[in-house]
Amino acid sequence: MAKIETPRPIRGTQDIFGAEAEAFAHVVETFERVRRLYRFRRVEMPVFEKTEVFSRSIGETTDVVSKEMYSFEDRGGESLTLRPEFTAGIARAYLTDGWQQYAPLKVATHGPLFRYERPQKGRYRQFHQIDAEIIGAAEPQADVELLVMADQLLKELGIGANDPGAVTLNLNTLGDSDSREAWRSALVAYFRDVKASLSEDSQDRLEKNPLRILDSKDERDKAFVADAPQIDQFLSGEAQDFFGAVTSGLDAAGVAWSRNPALVRGLDYYRHTAFEFITDRLGAQGTVLGGGRYDGLMESLGGAPTPAVGWAAGIERLAMLVGDVDEAGAEVIVVVENDAVLQDGIGVTSALRRSGVAADLLASGSPRKRFDKAVKQEPKAILALSVDNGATAHRLRITGGDEVAIEGVLASYDWRGPAE
RNA sequence: GCGAUUGUAGCUCAGUUGGUUAGAGCGCCGGUUUGUGGUACCGGAGGUCGGGGGUUCGAGACCCCUCAAUCGCCCCA
């Protein structure tokens, strides 16, 4: 018979284990705690939606829609897509579930997202994000609140705590749609004059996505980027005031920020505030948390014009910055020296756990091996069960520095004695 | 889609200018000690050296193809 070959994991997916999984959980738990402080309401969203939810909001023709989504037909012939982001689904729910009645609505969620991309450091095909959005708030205070929450989250995660340069808030404004369009035209005119000197990629970008030339990594482009027209020259008075209110709000809240006039968004529905918390500790994937104001999105989904702003952050990248988090060890390990008292081993281990003590039971292999394993796990105490004069004897050996108060549990446990 | 680097035991890795039967540590399994002590010692299992082809008397090593992983480019919702 042919040997059965173990299926390989799917490219870009990951099995997270041990200290890395603890770090992942720590990020999520911290996010949950902080979002409650800012009174963001928890939402759970479907992992797939009709494809049009994403194609209409992101733009039919963009590469991300045409090449980087996991789309498929279900058995009814409907085109569905695994969510590549949270924002579009939340916007859809806002329109279909009557959430307008709660406006301005602050919501938060987290979970897996799917993008068909080439995996690299901190970048996977199934990845996970935390996400926060404020829908129905046109005021710059909403942007400020989101940014202050993001800043507190990163600080509570300890990112940059002992290392002030580890992550910095880069902030920019894209203005309203008129300012943005004027800026875009000026950029195209400026770069067209020097087109031949630009990198090949940027020559393509000139037609498709001229704003992206600004954050090109190619040295040939950087010299021209430095002297390129800046958004500030094109901002309306209203847009200037909006950005001013955001920055003064950040200052009032004590959040450090730094203006980055080259920071742009890839999609057209973004307006005004754009921001990224950037680190240099994760290789090429520098953005740890990013977002902006997307006042244009709701209309593309058939809703009334609705101002909104939000951010998302990759849990894997945050977990990498947090570093490995130790798995909590057992406080007590119960070693059954004699199999005749296995039932008492099961019973007393359960009693310990019910009283809130983290406990493990070791009852396989030779007694020697059981003790070896127990000692290696470095519990605070080892509880050894053996047979003595027809009864179950237990000895508690304190192995760690900390006291383990389990005498009460042992005293109230009803020992059943060894099996015959 | 493009590029660079790396694939040897379950894991982390050695393996000399190509030379007999491919090694270590950890983990796993078994054994030694009948003991208030143990994390020690001894032993064992486990590898078609990612896969395929080629060069050679001889390939884990050199060449070609392929697959995968990692990192980067593109893209980034």
Side-chain angles (χ1 to χ4, degrees):
Chain A
M1 197 161 87
K3 186 183 187 309
I4 294 172
E5 206 168 311
T6 305
R8 307 315 305 163
I10 303 294
R11 162 173 285 186
T13 64
Q14 30 173 6
D15 304 308
I16 310 172
F17 174 78
E20 284 174 39
E22 295 293 337
F24 189 103
H26 174 63
V27 169
V28 172
E29 286 159 12
T30 306
F31 173 68
E32 278 294 296
R33 187 161 48 73
V34 171
R35 67 95 182 158
R36 285 190 176 92
L37 296 175
Y38 286 77
R39 301 190 45 73
F40 278 65
R41 305 171 77 172
R42 189 77 158 81
V43 291
E44 289 293 334
M45 304 300 302
V47 168
F48 53 86
E49 296 269 0
K50 288 190 181 182
T51 297
E52 61 189 297
V53 169
F54 305 110
S55 63
R56 292 225 303 251
S57 62
I58 295 169
E60 306 277 357
T61 60
T62 58
D63 277 8
V64 296
V65 166
S66 57
K67 296 199 283 208
E68 294 174 16
M69 295 202 311
Y70 278 96
S71 298
F72 59 97
E73 273 194 8
D74 74 1
R75 292 173 187 277
E78 183 122 59
S79 178
L80 306 180
T81 294
L82 299 181
R83 63 183 181 196
E85 60 158 13
F86 281 116
T87 307
I90 290 173
R92 186 233 84 217
Y94 183 84
L95 298 173
T96 60
D97 297 1
W99 289 357
Q100 289 107 319
Q101 66 183 306
Y102 305 113
L105 175 64
K106 300 194 284 187
V107 294
T109 192
H110 64 83
L113 303 169
F114 306 85
R115 297 180 187 175
Y116 192 85
E117 296 185 291
R118 198 60 179 255
Q120 49 187 291
K121 188 177 181 68
R123 196 170 183 175
Y124 308 94
R125 289 184 171 181
Q126 176 177 335
F127 62 103
H128 302 80
Q129 285 187 340
I130 53 177
D131 180 275
E133 316 274 352
I134 302 180
I135 305 176
E139 302 75 25
Q141 287 73 34
D143 310 47
V144 172
E145 183 174 13
L146 277 163
L147 281 163
V148 177
M149 176 165 79
D151 180 74
Q152 180 168 348
L153 171 68
L154 295 176
K155 287 197 165 76
E156 296 217 4
L157 286 171
I159 295 169
N162 307 315
D163 193 3
V167 61
T168 56
L169 168 55
N170 285 32
L171 191 64
N172 197 21
T173 178
L174 304 171
D176 50 41
S177 44
D178 288 345
S179 337
R180 185 186 159 130
E181 204 39 55
W183 182 38
R184 181 191 163 102
S185 302
L187 283 172
V188 171
Y190 169 81
F191 283 119
R192 187 167 284 148
D193 285 345
V194 295
K195 181 173 179 179
S197 308
L198 296 175
S199 66
E200 295 78 9
D201 283 333
S202 284
Q203 293 185 27
D204 287 344
R205 282 190 276 241
L206 187 53
E207 310 304 327
K208 285 160 44 182
N209 203 352
L211 269 56
R212 281 286 172 190
I213 299 176
L214 294 175
D215 51 18
S216 168
K217 290 166 183 167
D218 195 300
E219 289 302 327
R220 286 171 289 176
D221 300 332
K222 286 183 177 174
F224 298 106
V225 167
D227 295 324
Q230 299 212 347
I231 179 68
D232 291 15
Q233 304 164 229
F234 305 94
L235 287 180
S236 64
E238 210 174 328
Q240 280 175 10
D241 291 346
F242 191 96
F243 190 57
V246 172
T247 58
S248 61
L250 290 174
D251 293 340
V255 173
W257 56 277
S258 133
R259 179 72 195 276
N260 179 355
L263 177 67
V264 297
R265 305 274 79 184
L267 302 184
D268 287 340
Y269 59 64
Y270 281 99
R271 306 286 149 76
H272 295 291
T273 322
F275 54 86
E276 294 182 0
F277 286 82
I278 296 178
T279 181
D280 59 3
R281 311 297 152 86
L282 291 178
Q285 307 303 318
T287 300
V288 160
L289 182 152
R293 181 162 276 278
Y294 49 93
D295 291 351
L297 174 59
M298 286 295 171
E299 288 164 84
S300 68
L301 288 173
T306 306
V309 55
W311 57 249
I315 298 175
E316 288 87 349
R317 290 188 197 175
L318 290 172
M320 280 190 263
L321 289 171
V322 165
D324 289 351
V325 173
D326 286 342
E327 294 175 277
E331 293 175 273
V332 177
I333 293 181
V334 179
V335 175
V336 177
E337 282 194 74
N338 186 315
D339 288 343
V341 294
L342 175 61
Q343 297 308 314
D344 271 327
I346 294 169
V348 76
T349 304
S350 303
L352 285 166
R353 290 166 173 165
R354 289 184 186 122
S355 73
V357 175
D360 255 334
L361 174 66
L362 282 177
S364 68
S366 67
R368 159 80 70 173
K369 293 277 195 273
R370 298 177 191 184
F371 271 103
D372 286 356
K373 278 186 190 172
V375 170
K376 276 188 183 175
Q377 287 178 40
E378 298 180 342
K380 291 178 182 170
I382 294 173
L383 179 66
L385 304 190
S386 56
V387 178
D388 184 37
N389 283 330
T392 301
H394 66 271
R395 298 188 309 275
L396 184 65
R397 179 182 166 210
I398 303 297
T399 49
D402 299 334
E403 281 297 301
V404 183
I406 62 167
E407 286 75 12
V409 176
L410 296 181
S412 60
Y413 176 71
D414 185 17
W415 300 93
R416 56 190 288 162
E420 293 306 320

